[in-house]
Amino acid sequence: MSGMPHELDFQVGGDVRVTGGPFADFTGPVLAVDHARGRVQLTVDILGDATRIDVPLSDARAV
């Protein structure tokens, strides 16, 4: 998987940028990383509200 090296960079509280899907280009802090499911949960600002989203690890990069 091409995102594999970046997975090691994900830490709770660290910022990630979403690189694909409907939330592409959003950035926010990591709430949880689920390696078994291949997902990362983060909070992003959508229209002024903090919104929790869950995206595939392959669609996220540590910043």
Side-chain angles (χ1 to χ4, degrees), residues 1-7 35 37-39 56-59 61:
M1 179 195 305
S2 64
M4 196 70 134
H6 297 284
E7 291 177 23
H35 290 286
R37 289 181 46 231
R39 313 280 296 179
L57 289 170
S58 60
D59 285 349
R61 296 290 178 264

Side-chain angles (χ1 to χ4, degrees), residues 14-38:
D15 285 338
V16 297
R17 175 177 297 277
V18 181
T19 59
F23 299 105
D25 296 325
F26 280 84
T27 302
V30 173
L31 300 173
V33 180
D34 186 342
H35 290 286
R37 289 181 46 231

Side-chain angles (χ1 to χ4, degrees), residues 4 7 12 16 20 40 44 54 58 63:
M4 196 70 134
E7 291 177 23
V12 173
V16 297
V40 60
V44 295
D54 184 83
S58 60
V63 291

